[in-house]
Amino acid sequence: MHSWTDTLRFAFQPVVNLMTGAVAGLEILARPETGDILAEARRDPELDCRLAVSAIRAAARKETLLPLFVNVFAGSLADLGGLPSLHDAVREAGRLPWEVTLDICPPYTHVPQQALLEAAAALRGQGFRICADGVGDGDVPLRLLSDLAPGLVKLDASLLTRPAVVRSMRTLCDEMGALLAVEGVETEGQCAAALAAGAQLAQGELLAPPARRPAADVYVPPRSPAEAPAPGAGPRVREFVRPAALLPVTASAGQVRALLTGSPDVSGVLLVDTRGVPVRSVHRSRFLLSMSGRYGHALYADRPAAKLGDPPRTVGVDGTAWEVLDVVAVGERDRTSDDVAVVDEDGRCVGVVRLADLVRALAETRVEEAAGLNPLTRLPGSDAITGEVDRRIAAGRAFALSWLDVDHFKQINDGAGFAAGDELIKAVGRALQQAATESARVGHIGGDDFLVLADPDGLDPLAASVLDVPWSAGGRTVTLSLATVLCAPGSVSDHRQAAGCLAPLKKAAKALHGASWVLGRAGAAGHEIRRGSRPTPKPASVSAPAPAPPSAPAPPSAPASASASASASASARCGMAVERGAQGV
């Protein structure tokens, strides 16, 4: 009698890091020659568990060192309370649990949520990594997704036609500490859209089709300048993680040598303890040089490889590229090319980062920032601010968008000279930067106009830093006008609508005397005057009426109200004429 295993084969599809172009792992896909084994596995949790075990064994036969992605249905996890035989299969294959990511697949309908969460937590406790698959195209509830706390979320490429949704998922992933992947990428346009929307990983026919043998060669379209990392504190480490070559700390030098000579792309090996915590770092070139020296093989082959290793350099998975550079800078100069181990909150290794990847990304970031900086103040332009506004809107965060400018700036330039005007603009820009909190962004959009994005509770000190200063230029007293719109979650849809709410407030602020500040709320009528005063109406100048010529007949009497109206009208016309005459002089 034939077993289902007789006609079942597995294919391997790379999951690609879009930032580095490296393969982050291999998804193992069941490929039966006949029948629909996946439909049966959806109904039979025991069969689904055996499929996962078979996938691990298939990968072991191919002798791949790359991390693995194994599919399992959500219902199977909930029904079985986990995958009881998977841990044994991983150990028998010579792999470590944290090298395996479980792709939890829909459907989620009618799956006991608490049982699913407990099973996922148990697997995570064993060291396995958790991925939520089919999000956006499946039926996973958002609250369940948040409670599941996966390390990776996979979206279907069809959602790329709705970039706002993908950007929102990237924001959610950032809050959960997860990476965002897009699967089913088939065109360069989809790949560019995935990058633009913030996805860090992708898989699909464009990058590499499923194949019977694991492949490390993939195609990643070149990135355009517009897709360079966004300016800020620097790219996050998790975006550049490459798979790590891991061996137990008890491994011999001969085992390390066999791994390195059989895998020319591996730049080093991390020796880890039983919990997956890096203990020693073995650099490829230094290790092979020691082994190839006179008597090197005889001396070291059967000895622990740890004796030829160095203390590992580590950085947290939530760190930035700048933190990696700090780690490298404090070490020995001959170790600048060493990989840096990336560890999770428990100190377990989740991969490595290479210095070359980070330097390239930081250079792109700096080029993009420099291109958008105002040459006078070295502050970013409006694009940086509006982009951050859209990100806060997508994240459902309240924010305050402010516009600031110098009153009568043209007269200052004309009277005091453009050099004095430039110095004033630079001084205002410095004051804004110094007063801005870590979460605030200051932009110089040209001339004497500034944009400030801040949290609502940080407005008062920011306003005081520029409105309470006695500004002057060329001996002339200078005042500033500030307009702010408070945007509660859901009150505006994008930065254009926020700017539209700010426009009438700018006009109201400019209509006040002295240093002024007007504050309004998106979606609400009216505004609050926090600084400045309304201009006092000028009294109309009334001239005494000229006496009528003696020979002129007296006009007929008119009602008192009509006479008063005519007198007031004449007075107003006279007053306007006097004001225009004074301006002409």
Side-chain angles (χ1 to χ4, degrees), residues 54-292:
S54 297
I56 295 294
R57 291 172 178 165
R61 290 193 295 270
K62 301 300 182 181
E63 299 182 345
T64 176
L65 296 175
L66 290 167
L68 306 174
F69 291 78
V70 178
N71 293 292
V72 61
F73 289 108
S76 300
L77 283 184
D79 288 346
L80 297 177
L83 300 175
S85 56
L86 185 64
H87 195 282
D88 293 338
V90 170
R91 186 176 62 252
E92 292 167 4
R95 303 301 292 263
L96 299 169
W98 44 89
E99 296 179 273
V100 178
T101 298
L102 297 176
D103 284 8
I104 304 179
C105 305
Y108 289 84
T109 303
H110 307 309
V111 173
Q113 293 190 7
Q114 189 59 38
L116 174 60
L117 293 175
E118 291 174 357
L123 287 165
R124 190 184 289 109
Q126 295 172 12
F128 292 102
R129 307 197 183 282
I130 303 298
C131 166
D133 201 353
V135 175
D137 196 44
D139 59 347
V140 54
L142 281 179
R143 189 165 76 175
L144 175 61
L145 177 64
S146 178
D147 293 341
L148 192 62
L152 176 66
V153 172
K154 285 187 177 181
L155 302 181
D156 189 83
S158 62
L159 283 179
L160 293 174
T161 58
R162 300 171 175 84
V165 175
V166 184
R167 288 195 299 270
S168 298
M169 287 305 306
R170 168 61 193 269
T171 300
L172 177 60
C173 286
D174 287 344
E175 292 290 331
M176 296 190 300
L179 291 174
L180 180 65
V182 176
E183 52 187 353
V185 175
E186 298 180 352
T187 67
E188 294 195 5
Q190 287 180 323
C191 188
L195 264 171
Q200 295 117 330
L201 305 176
Q203 63 186 113
E205 292 285 339
L206 172 72
L207 308 172
R212 290 296 175 89
R213 296 190 60 81
D217 294 329
V218 296
Y219 169 72
V220 180
R223 297 170 60 192
S224 67
E227 297 161 354
R236 311 301 294 184
V237 165
R238 64 174 63 247
E239 298 177 3
F240 301 92
V241 174
R242 290 175 176 264
L246 304 177
L247 284 176
V249 70
T250 55
S252 67
Q255 290 175 295
V256 173
R257 183 177 183 275
L259 188 156
L260 291 175
T261 55
S263 307
D265 293 334
V266 173
S267 56
V269 177
L270 288 173
L271 305 178
V272 298
D273 64 15
T274 55
R275 296 180 298 117
V277 176
V279 177
R280 303 292 283 179
S281 172
V282 179
H283 184 265
R284 180 187 188 90
S285 298
R286 293 197 300 274
F287 175 84
L288 293 179
L289 185 62
S290 299
M291 291 290 289
S292 61

Side-chain angles (χ1 to χ4, degrees), residues 223-481:
R223 297 170 60 192
S224 67
E227 297 161 354
R236 311 301 294 184
V237 165
R238 64 174 63 247
E239 298 177 3
F240 301 92
V241 174
R242 290 175 176 264
L246 304 177
L247 284 176
V249 70
T250 55
S252 67
Q255 290 175 295
V256 173
R257 183 177 183 275
L259 188 156
L260 291 175
T261 55
S263 307
D265 293 334
V266 173
S267 56
V269 177
L270 288 173
L271 305 178
V272 298
D273 64 15
T274 55
R275 296 180 298 117
V277 176
V279 177
R280 303 292 283 179
S281 172
V282 179
H283 184 265
R284 180 187 188 90
S285 298
R286 293 197 300 274
F287 175 84
L288 293 179
L289 185 62
S290 299
M291 291 290 289
S292 61
R294 191 176 185 183
Y295 308 121
H297 189 272
L299 286 173
Y300 299 115
D302 296 326
R303 300 182 66 183
K307 293 184 176 297
L308 294 176
D310 300 291
R313 291 173 165 176
T314 61
V315 66
V317 70
D318 293 320
T320 67
W322 294 111
E323 293 177 48
V324 177
L325 295 186
D326 289 340
V327 170
V328 173
V330 299
E332 300 89 346
R333 295 181 63 180
D334 62 344
R335 293 191 62 191
T336 54
S337 62
D338 288 17
D339 293 341
V340 176
V342 182
V343 297
D344 61 16
E345 63 276 5
D346 297 318
R348 300 180 304 191
C349 180
V350 300
V352 296
V353 290
R354 293 181 179 175
L355 190 60
D357 292 335
L358 299 181
V359 170
R360 183 165 51 253
L362 289 172
E364 291 174 347
T365 300
R366 286 295 176 256
V367 168
E368 285 300 303
E369 287 181 347
L373 294 181
N374 185 284
L376 181 62
T377 59
R378 309 303 295 166
L379 289 172
S382 60
D383 287 348
I385 305 299
T386 55
E388 180 62 23
V389 167
D390 285 337
R391 283 188 284 274
R392 296 197 185 193
I393 292 172
R397 292 177 56 186
F399 63 90
L401 183 63
S402 300
W403 165 89
L404 176 81
D405 86 334
V406 179
D407 296 328
H408 311 298
F409 185 65
K410 184 178 185 303
Q411 287 88 330
I412 294 171
N413 266 347
D414 292 344
F418 69 87
D422 286 351
E423 288 301 322
L424 174 64
I425 293 302
K426 288 191 284 188
V428 172
R430 285 193 299 269
L432 286 171
Q433 279 186 296
Q434 292 168 2
T437 61
E438 185 178 347
S439 61
R441 299 292 300 275
V442 179
H444 183 191
I445 59 177
D448 61 322
D449 293 311
F450 294 87
L451 275 179
V452 183
L453 176 64
D455 293 330
D457 56 4
L459 282 176
D460 287 331
L462 195 62
S465 69
V466 289
L467 297 183
D468 290 348
V469 175
W471 298 102
S472 63
R476 298 166 177 261
T477 300
V478 174
T479 59
L480 308 180
S481 294

Side-chain angles (χ1 to χ4, degrees), residues 13-26:
Q13 184 171 41
V15 179
V16 180
N17 186 319
L18 294 175
M19 303 297 294
T20 64
V23 177
L26 297 170

Side-chain angles (χ1 to χ4, degrees), residues 540-541 570-583:
S541 299
S571 298
R573 287 195 299 272
C574 185
M576 291 172 61
V578 170
E579 186 175 351
R580 284 197 296 270
Q583 291 174 347

